[in-house]
Amino acid sequence: MTTPPNERAGSVVILAAGLGQRMRSARPKVLHALCGRPMIAWVLDVALALDPERIVVVTGHGAEEVEAAVRALGHGSRVRFVRQEPQLGTGHALQVCLSELGADPGVTVVLYGDMPCLKPATARALVATQRARAAGGLALLTALPDEPRGFGRILRDARGAVTGIVEERDATPAERAIEEVNLGVYAFDGPGLVAALPQLSNANAQGEYYLTDVLAAFVGQGRRVEAVEVDDLDEALGVNTLAHLAEARWSLQLRILEAHLESGVAIEDPATTYVDHGVEIGAGTRILPCTVIRAGVRIGRDCEVGPFAQLRAGAVLEDGAEIGNFVEVKNTRVGPHAKAKHLAYLGDGQIGARSNIGAGTIFANYDGVQKHTTRLGERVFVGSGSVIVAPNVIGDGATTGAGAIVTRDSNIGAGEVWVGVPAKPLAKKAGGAGGAAQERRP
Ligand code: UD1
Ligand code: CA
């Protein structure tokens, strides 16, 4: 998607140096997972949507881990990292970026790393507002949440013009009663920001340099300030605790499910369906309740998944495949119209078109040291309760009997029938119909 010039930022700075103490976790806050990707990936999406000349990520607590995660997302060449040590506040986090920003960083958008639900379109609209109505000044996002929990409050004068932001901890009781809050998303005039940052003071309740004080400085200089109110309060979710993380996950999950519903995927019960970010699902596919579909899964058209199915990374369902209850699929390609309807583990495999996997089948892919692959041809019939020990190959049209234990490297030929423990091939009785099948000598 191309970003129109009026919605494009010069620079984006993502603040991600904080400890996130209230998460009660050793993991850096911005690396907690939300729908199959770290929190910061969602914020990077917003930054990229602004198509800026530079993206700066400020790291501190867990800096190496955070930087490695951003690189693992493929953004290593697009992002510059600045270390903030120690962390002396959100204003200080911008001060340490001054040399990266230079004298004129263009319209500079600041995003907090703990706001994963902000929509790219909202950030683009904020930039457009700065350019149209607050050129030389700043535009910021505000909201009117039911509960202002911990947010800075927006101060306005008698005529309604924004004059400042007061942090909850510094606020008088009257200021605390203000319902309009600061979301921590700003689009600043670049040179104005660069000039204001060195002037910040830390004379406040937390002894920190507050980025929010730049707003008062702008007002003092007669620069324009525009507040843009978000009406979807989910976007305002700042994640400070694991409970907030769960709220953010649900909000993002609904967005993902709504996009699939719009593209023709029938999801019977969104409330019990987990689909990670980036999963491809073809139109006409039905997802039944209590199903978990992780990142890195691809599902074709007219498939059926669930109820109670789990598709993990590397699962690929070709058109018309069916995965039923209590079936786990990992790193396995399930061919067109192949079926595994009940109680199975299919790991590290390939299953050809129209094969049928009986109830209770296991691809025993792990020998305690290494993972191995199971390959099934087309129209294979795997009897109920079969264990196929990998590595193994089963040819087109072959059959395993119920309860067969197919030991490793059995490599069953096309059309053969193997039964028993350990499984052995059945020979067709010479002379035609009737009579019990005999064991064939290897
Ligand atoms: C901040 C705002 C507040 C706003 C709220 C919205 C300030 C002074 N206050 O408060 O007005 O309502 O966000 O969520 O800005 N960070 C750093 N380095 C630091 C401090 C923080 O990188 O030295 C990062 C944190 O990792 C986090 C973000 O900045 O991603 C916000 O910091 P946090 O301490 O959570 O700010 P709040 O107290 O929530
Ligand atoms: Ca916060």
Side-chain angles (χ1 to χ4, degrees):
M1 199 193 302
T2 52
T3 307
N6 66 318
E7 297 179 358
R8 199 176 288 157
S11 304
V12 177
V13 181
I14 298 175
L15 305 195
L19 172 59
Q21 207 157 17
R22 285 174 287 166
M23 299 294 279
R24 307 234 181 278
S25 160
R27 180 179 305 169
K29 175 155 82 176
V30 296
L31 297 190
H32 283 265
L34 285 167
C35 300
R37 63 208 299 242
M39 192 188 306
I40 197 163
W42 295 94
V43 183
L44 282 161
D45 280 355
V46 178
L48 292 163
L50 298 172
D51 192 23
E53 269 153 51
R54 63 170 76 70
I55 299 174
V56 181
V57 176
V58 182
T59 62
H61 279 284
E64 270 158 36
E65 272 176 87
V66 174
E67 291 166 15
V70 172
R71 287 195 197 95
L73 289 163
H75 301 313
S77 59
R78 190 72 174 86
V79 164
R80 300 181 214 182
F81 297 103
V82 172
R83 294 268 175 107
Q84 185 200 13
E85 272 153 6
Q87 289 85 39
L88 303 178
T90 51
H92 178 249
L94 265 289
Q95 287 172 342
V96 300
C97 295
L98 278 169
S99 65
E100 277 295 340
L101 293 176
D104 184 2
V107 172
T108 299
V109 173
V110 177
L111 304 170
Y112 291 169
D114 60 1
M115 282 193 57
C117 298
L118 179 70
K119 289 178 185 151
T122 304
R124 289 204 302 259
L126 185 73
V127 172
T129 299
Q130 196 278 348
R131 292 187 187 281
R133 304 214 306 271
L138 78 92
L140 79 163
L141 285 187
T142 66
L144 293 168
D146 301 332
E147 212 196 302
R149 68 172 188 211
F151 284 109
R153 307 298 202 279
I154 303 292
L155 306 177
R156 290 180 183 263
D157 66 16
R159 287 179 307 162
V162 177
T163 57
I165 299 169
V166 60
E167 291 306 299
E168 189 169 85
R169 273 175 275 201
D170 299 299
T172 64
E175 288 168 339
R176 278 183 199 217
I178 295 171
E179 288 174 344
E180 188 183 16
V181 304
N182 169 36
L183 296 191
V185 181
Y186 322 87
F188 291 98
D189 172 71
L193 174 67
V194 165
L197 285 172
Q199 315 295 326
L200 296 176
S201 125
N202 65 351
N204 52 53
Q206 302 186 76
E208 288 185 357
Y209 297 91
Y210 290 164
L211 180 59
T212 44
D213 289 346
V214 171
L215 191 153
F218 270 36
V219 170
Q221 294 161 4
R223 295 174 186 268
R224 285 198 285 176
V225 176
E226 281 288 333
V228 176
E229 189 188 325
V230 300
D231 26 53
D232 177 358
L233 285 173
D234 279 3
E235 288 194 74
L237 255 165
V239 175
N240 296 313
T241 65
L242 289 175
H244 298 160
L245 186 77
E247 274 180 63
R249 194 208 70 79
W250 173 236
S251 172
L252 294 169
Q253 181 65 93
L254 268 185
R255 245 184 253 174
I256 292 169
L257 295 176
E258 278 162 10
H260 287 300
L261 287 163
E262 271 165 36
S263 69
V265 179
I267 298 170
E268 189 175 310
D269 182 22
T272 63
T273 302
Y274 297 73
V275 179
D276 278 347
H277 170 85
V279 172
E280 287 172 37
I281 310 178
T285 287
R286 302 202 320 132
I287 311 287
L288 302 178
C290 302
T291 289
V292 178
I293 302 175
R294 291 301 183 194
V297 170
R298 276 198 294 126
I299 302 174
R301 301 172 75 95
D302 302 317
C303 295
E304 187 173 288
V305 183
F308 297 98
Q310 178 174 209
L311 306 184
R312 293 167 54 201
V316 177
L317 308 193
E318 309 262 19
D319 294 351
E322 294 182 25
I323 296 297
N325 50 162
F326 305 107
V327 176
E328 175 180 350
V329 184
K330 185 217 76 173
N331 192 29
T332 290
R333 175 177 291 268
V334 182
H337 303 284
K339 292 182 189 178
K341 297 290 281 182
H342 333 268
L343 303 161
Y345 173 61
L346 308 174
D348 301 303
Q350 287 169 28
I351 299 168
R354 297 187 188 278
S355 288
N356 187 85
I357 309 294
T361 293
I362 290 173
F363 286 4
N365 59 332
Y366 186 49
D367 60 14
V369 182
Q370 272 183 296
K371 302 272 172 72
H372 302 279
T373 303
T374 298
R375 288 198 193 82
L376 270 54
E378 298 186 358
R379 296 177 320 281
V380 171
F381 183 91
V382 177
S384 295
S386 291
V387 176
I388 302 169
V389 182
N392 237 318
V393 178
I394 300 184
D396 291 346
T399 296
T400 69
I405 307 289
V406 182
T407 53
R408 57 182 296 161
D409 293 314
S410 291
N411 300 337
I412 298 177
E416 292 180 5
V417 179
W418 286 47
V419 300
V421 181
K424 296 255 165 54
L426 283 181
K428 288 198 191 72
K429 200 184 173 196
Q438 294 173 343
E439 246 181 47
R440 186 173 66 188
R441 303 252 177 267

